[in-house]
Amino acid sequence: MEKISVVVPCYNEEKSLPLFYEAINKVSKKMKKIDFEFLFVNDGSSDNTLNICKKLAKKDKRVKYISFSRNFGKEAGIYAGLENSTGDYVTFMDADLQDPPELLIEMHRLIKEEGYDTVGTRRVTRKGEPPIRSFLTRCFYKIINKMSKVEMVDGARDYRLMTRQVVDSILSMKEYNRYSKGLFSFVGFNTKWLEYENVERVAGETKWSFWNLFMYAFEGIIAFSTAPLWIATFIGILFCIISFIAIVAIIIKTLCFGDPVGGWPSMVCIIFMVSGIQLFCIGIIGAYLSKTYLESKNRPIYIIKEKN
Ligand code: UDP
Ligand code: MG
């Protein structure tokens, strides 16, 4: 019998987890010919999430849980889920039911009957989200797709069903700074996109603050593009050309009209602008250097405290 592993990263999801289990259990009953494994990854929750996982595991043999020693972030949860999954197919779902479990039936059909390797999902609406957040997200996708060769789909969720072959290829990338959306596109394979309308959280609160999202976007760009590193070179060339023209103009002006020491305020402005740009470029190099530094330490992506 074929088996699907459902990986669910959970961070402080005591309110949504029981509702999620009910929903996925219903779907699993509809998919009679398939064996299931529910893999809850407790990402260092400070609430009752782990106890709920344990209770569910007692009640249902298909439930497995992994509990981290602290909060490692959703990306680590996804990686741990992939490493510990045993199914022929693996899917990720958020515990807050924002990823409709019923879609799984169609996803499985597409892989099975139409020969896709992976089926992803994307939200076509962003109902219930602040307009400024939606706007910035759209800008981010435009920018990153211009900068990176790997295509990032606007509105793509982490919710997807993959064959074992895809899972193994993702696991072969052992980088520490994981940006899963990019990694999924990087491995390629035949991907089908299912579209659905945004669903709001059943319970609890989102863990993403505005600042977190901003940093996440930044990580995505650093992880999948080296274009920012070229900014310094381009600005440098541009400034050399401008300064050459300016030098020639000033020499001619001084020879013709005299007055070599005017223009102190404009000089201060130029110094400020040039040093600002220099610091900006050093900052970009620093961002890449810090990622390289973290990679070179080879630290584990997650640490397990207990599991069943
Ligand atoms: N999550 C996690 N670790 C974290 C933050 C979030 O495992 O540090 C899980 C969370 O429990 C949920 C999923 O990742 O199942 C998505 O989180 P959330 O709903 O807050 O994100 P959003 O849907 O708002 O993008
Ligand atoms: Mg959510």
Side-chain angles (χ1 to χ4, degrees), residues 78-141:
I78 287 179
Y79 187 72
L82 283 180
E83 265 197 333
N84 291 279
S85 66
T86 55
D88 306 292
Y89 304 100
V90 180
T91 178
F92 309 109
M93 283 185 205
D94 284 5
D96 56 9
L97 285 178
Q98 278 191 301
D99 303 325
E102 312 81 57
L103 281 183
L104 202 57
I105 301 171
E106 173 66 3
M107 288 159 107
H108 178 256
R109 190 193 68 78
L110 282 165
I111 290 189
K112 203 67 202 156
E113 288 171 20
E114 298 194 15
Y116 288 101
D117 301 296
T118 159
V119 181
T121 58
R122 59 184 287 257
R123 313 188 268 188
V124 278
T125 56
R126 291 182 168 272
K127 189 182 65 183
E129 201 181 68
I132 177 84
R133 187 167 152 177
S134 308
F135 171 73
L136 290 176
T137 315
R138 270 197 203 107
C139 292
F140 163 72
Y141 280 107

Side-chain angles (χ1 to χ4, degrees), residues 21 36-40 52-65 308:
Y21 173 76
F36 272 87
E37 167 186 69
F38 307 128
L39 191 53
F40 295 110
I52 293 173
C53 292
K54 284 181 181 167
K55 257 186 221 152
L56 289 174
K58 245 184 217 157
K59 204 168 81 175
D60 186 341
K61 271 200 193 108
R62 299 171 299 173
V63 173
K64 308 255 161 64
Y65 64 85
N308 68 341

